[in-house]
Structures are given as structure tokens and as C-alpha cells.
Coordinates of all heavy atoms in Angstrom, one line a residue:
F1 N 128.6 125.5 96.0 CA 127.2 125.3 95.6 C 127.0 124.3 94.4 O 126.2 123.4 94.5 CB 126.6 126.7 95.1 CG 126.4 127.7 96.2 CD1 126.2 129.0 95.9 CD2 126.3 127.3 97.5 CE1 126.0 130.0 96.9 CE2 126.1 128.2 98.5 CZ 126.0 129.6 98.2
T2 N 127.9 124.4 93.4 CA 127.8 123.5 92.3 C 128.0 122.0 92.8 O 127.3 121.2 92.4 CB 128.9 123.8 91.3 OG1 128.6 125.2 90.8 CG2 128.9 122.9 90.1
K3 N 129.0 121.8 93.6 CA 129.3 120.5 94.1 C 128.1 119.9 94.8 O 127.6 118.7 94.6 CB 130.5 120.5 95.0 CG 131.0 119.1 95.5 CD 132.3 119.2 96.2 CE 132.9 117.9 96.5 NZ 132.1 117.0 97.3
A4 N 127.5 120.7 95.7 CA 126.4 120.2 96.5 C 125.2 119.9 95.7 O 124.5 118.9 95.8 CB 126.1 121.2 97.6
I5 N 124.9 120.9 94.8 CA 123.7 120.7 93.9 C 123.8 119.5 93.0 O 122.8 118.7 92.9 CB 123.5 122.0 93.1 CG1 123.0 123.2 94.0 CG2 122.4 121.8 92.0 CD1 123.0 124.5 93.3
L6 N 124.9 119.3 92.4 CA 125.1 118.1 91.6 C 125.0 116.8 92.3 O 124.6 115.8 91.8 CB 126.4 118.2 90.8 CG 126.5 119.3 89.7 CD1 127.9 119.4 89.1 CD2 125.5 119.0 88.6
E7 N 125.4 116.9 93.6 CA 125.4 115.7 94.4 C 124.1 115.5 95.2 O 123.9 114.6 96.0 CB 126.6 115.7 95.5 CG 127.9 115.6 94.8 CD 129.1 115.7 95.8 OE1 128.8 116.0 97.0 OE2 130.2 115.6 95.4
G8 N 123.1 116.4 95.0 CA 121.8 116.3 95.6 C 121.8 116.7 97.1 O 120.9 116.3 97.8
R9 N 122.8 117.4 97.5 CA 122.9 117.9 98.9 C 122.4 119.3 99.0 O 122.4 120.1 98.0 CB 124.3 117.8 99.5 CG 124.8 116.3 99.5 CD 126.2 116.3 100.1 NE 127.2 116.8 99.3 CZ 127.8 118.0 99.4 NH1 127.5 118.8 100.5 NH2 128.7 118.4 98.6
S10 N 122.0 119.7 100.2 CA 121.5 121.1 100.5 C 122.7 122.0 100.5 O 123.8 121.7 100.8 CB 120.7 121.2 101.7 OG 121.5 120.8 102.8
I11 N 122.4 123.3 100.3 CA 123.5 124.4 100.4 C 123.2 125.3 101.5 O 122.0 125.6 101.8 CB 123.6 125.1 99.1 CG1 122.4 125.8 98.7 CG2 124.1 124.2 97.9 CD1 122.5 126.7 97.4
D12 N 124.2 125.8 102.2 CA 124.0 126.8 103.2 C 124.1 128.2 102.6 O 125.1 128.6 101.9 CB 125.1 126.7 104.3 CG 125.1 125.4 105.1 OD1 124.0 124.9 105.2 OD2 126.1 125.0 105.6
V13 N 123.0 129.0 102.8 CA 122.8 130.3 102.2 C 122.8 131.3 103.4 O 121.8 131.3 104.1 CB 121.6 130.4 101.4 CG1 121.5 131.8 100.7 CG2 121.6 129.4 100.3
F14 N 123.9 132.1 103.5 CA 124.1 132.9 104.7 C 123.3 134.2 104.6 O 123.0 134.7 103.5 CB 125.5 133.1 105.0 CG 126.2 131.8 105.4 CD1 127.0 131.1 104.5 CD2 126.1 131.3 106.7 CE1 127.5 129.9 104.8 CE2 126.7 130.1 107.1 CZ 127.4 129.4 106.1
N15 N 123.1 134.8 105.7 CA 122.3 136.1 105.9 C 121.0 135.9 105.2 O 120.4 136.9 104.7 CB 123.1 137.3 105.2 CG 122.6 138.6 105.8 OD1 122.2 138.7 106.9 ND2 122.7 139.6 104.9
H16 N 120.5 134.7 105.3 CA 119.1 134.3 104.8 C 119.0 134.7 103.3 O 117.9 135.0 102.8 CB 118.0 135.0 105.6 CG 118.2 134.6 107.1 ND1 117.8 133.4 107.6 CD2 118.7 135.3 108.1 CE1 118.0 133.4 108.9 NE2 118.5 134.5 109.3
G17 N 120.1 134.7 102.6 CA 120.1 135.0 101.2 C 120.2 136.5 100.8 O 120.2 136.9 99.7
N18 N 120.2 137.3 101.9 CA 120.3 138.8 101.6 C 121.7 139.2 101.5 O 122.2 140.1 102.3 CB 119.6 139.5 102.8 CG 118.1 139.2 102.9 OD1 117.4 139.2 101.9 ND2 117.6 138.9 104.1
M19 N 122.4 138.7 100.5 CA 123.8 139.0 100.2 C 123.9 139.4 98.8 O 123.1 138.9 97.9 CB 124.7 137.7 100.5 CG 124.5 137.1 101.8 SD 125.6 138.0 103.0 CE 127.1 137.2 102.8
E20 N 124.8 140.3 98.5 CA 125.1 140.7 97.2 C 126.7 140.7 97.0 O 127.4 141.2 97.9 CB 124.6 142.1 96.8 CG 123.0 142.1 96.8 CD 122.5 143.5 96.3 OE1 123.0 144.0 95.3 OE2 121.7 144.0 97.1
R21 N 127.1 140.2 95.8 CA 128.5 140.2 95.5 C 128.8 140.7 94.1 O 128.0 140.4 93.2 CB 129.0 138.7 95.7 CG 129.1 138.2 97.2 CD 130.2 139.0 97.9 NE 130.4 138.5 99.3 CZ 129.7 139.0 100.3 NH1 128.9 140.1 100.1 NH2 129.9 138.6 101.5
D22 N 129.9 141.4 94.0 CA 130.4 141.8 92.7 C 131.2 140.7 92.1 O 132.4 140.8 92.0 CB 131.2 143.1 92.9 CG 131.2 144.0 91.6 OD1 130.9 143.4 90.5 OD2 131.4 145.2 91.7
F23 N 130.5 139.7 91.7 CA 131.2 138.5 91.1 C 132.0 138.9 89.8 O 131.4 139.6 88.9 CB 130.2 137.4 90.7 CG 129.5 136.8 92.0 CD1 128.3 137.2 92.3 CD2 130.2 135.9 92.7 CE1 127.6 136.6 93.4 CE2 129.6 135.3 93.8 CZ 128.3 135.7 94.2
T24 N 133.3 138.5 89.7 CA 134.1 138.9 88.6 C 134.7 137.7 88.0 O 135.5 136.9 88.7 CB 135.2 139.9 89.1 OG1 134.7 140.9 89.9 CG2 135.9 140.6 87.9
Y25 N 134.5 137.5 86.7 CA 135.0 136.3 86.0 C 136.5 136.4 85.8 O 137.1 137.5 85.6 CB 134.3 136.2 84.6 CG 134.6 134.9 83.9 CD1 134.1 133.7 84.5 CD2 135.4 134.9 82.8 CE1 134.4 132.5 83.8 CE2 135.6 133.7 82.1 CZ 135.1 132.5 82.6 OH 135.4 131.3 82.0
I26 N 137.2 135.2 85.9 CA 138.6 135.1 85.9 C 139.3 135.8 84.7 O 140.3 136.4 84.8 CB 139.1 133.7 86.1 CG1 140.6 133.6 86.2 CG2 138.5 132.8 85.0 CD1 141.2 134.3 87.4
D27 N 138.7 135.6 83.6 CA 139.4 136.2 82.3 C 139.4 137.7 82.4 O 140.3 138.3 81.9 CB 138.6 135.7 81.1 CG 138.8 134.3 80.7 OD1 139.6 133.6 81.5 OD2 138.2 133.8 79.7
D28 N 138.4 138.3 83.0 CA 138.4 139.8 83.2 C 139.4 140.2 84.2 O 140.0 141.3 84.0 CB 137.0 140.2 83.6 CG 135.9 140.0 82.6 OD1 136.2 140.1 81.4 OD2 134.8 139.7 82.9
I29 N 139.6 139.4 85.2 CA 140.7 139.7 86.2 C 142.0 139.7 85.5 O 142.9 140.6 85.7 CB 140.6 138.7 87.3 CG1 139.4 139.0 88.2 CG2 141.9 138.8 88.2 CD1 139.4 140.2 89.1
V30 N 142.3 138.6 84.8 CA 143.6 138.4 84.1 C 143.9 139.5 83.1 O 145.0 140.0 82.9 CB 143.7 137.0 83.5 CG1 144.9 136.9 82.5 CG2 143.7 136.0 84.5
E31 N 142.8 140.0 82.4 CA 143.0 141.1 81.4 C 143.5 142.3 82.2 O 144.4 143.0 81.7 CB 141.7 141.3 80.7 CG 141.8 142.4 79.7 CD 142.8 142.2 78.6 OE1 143.0 141.1 78.2 OE2 143.3 143.2 78.1
G32 N 142.9 142.6 83.3 CA 143.3 143.8 84.1 C 144.7 143.6 84.6 O 145.5 144.6 84.5
L33 N 145.1 142.5 85.1 CA 146.4 142.2 85.5 C 147.4 142.4 84.4 O 148.5 143.1 84.6 CB 146.6 140.8 86.1 CG 145.9 140.5 87.5 CD1 145.8 139.0 87.7 CD2 146.8 141.2 88.5
Y34 N 147.1 141.9 83.2 CA 148.0 142.0 82.1 C 148.3 143.4 81.7 O 149.4 143.8 81.4 CB 147.5 141.2 80.9 CG 148.4 141.2 79.7 CD1 149.5 140.4 79.7 CD2 148.1 142.0 78.6 CE1 150.4 140.5 78.6 CE2 148.9 142.0 77.5 CZ 150.1 141.2 77.5 OH 150.9 141.3 76.5
R35 N 147.2 144.2 81.6 CA 147.4 145.6 81.3 C 148.2 146.4 82.2 O 149.1 147.2 81.8 CB 146.0 146.3 81.1 CG 145.2 145.7 80.0 CD 143.9 146.5 79.8 NE 143.0 145.8 78.8 CZ 142.0 146.4 78.1 NH1 141.8 147.7 78.4 NH2 141.3 145.7 77.3

């Protein structure tokens, strides 16, 4: 998405946008792994 938006291209949004994701930031993942 970031690449396309910055380049002025359209993005494909699947399921007509009716998607939900439990997005998890990498630092939070690494903290869990470390523990």
C-alpha cells in the first residue's frame, strides 16, 4: 500500500474492504519472543 500510494498508483483492496486484521508491530513481537 505504501509503495503504491507514494508512487501515485491505485491499491487493490480485497473483500471490498470488509477485512479486519490483528496488526502487530514488530517490536511487540520481538519482546514476546525474547521473554
Side-chain angles (χ1 to χ4, degrees):
F1 289 164
T2 298
K3 186 174 190 298
I5 290 170
L6 288 174
E7 293 175 358
R9 294 183 291 107
S10 60
I11 61 174
D12 292 336
V13 181
F14 294 99
N15 202 31
H16 304 284
N18 297 313
M19 305 278 274
E20 294 184 49
R21 288 290 180 269
D22 203 338
F23 294 101
T24 315
Y25 189 67
I26 184 61
D27 289 358
D28 294 326
I29 291 287
V30 169
E31 179 62 30
L33 285 165
Y34 181 75
R35 294 185 186 200

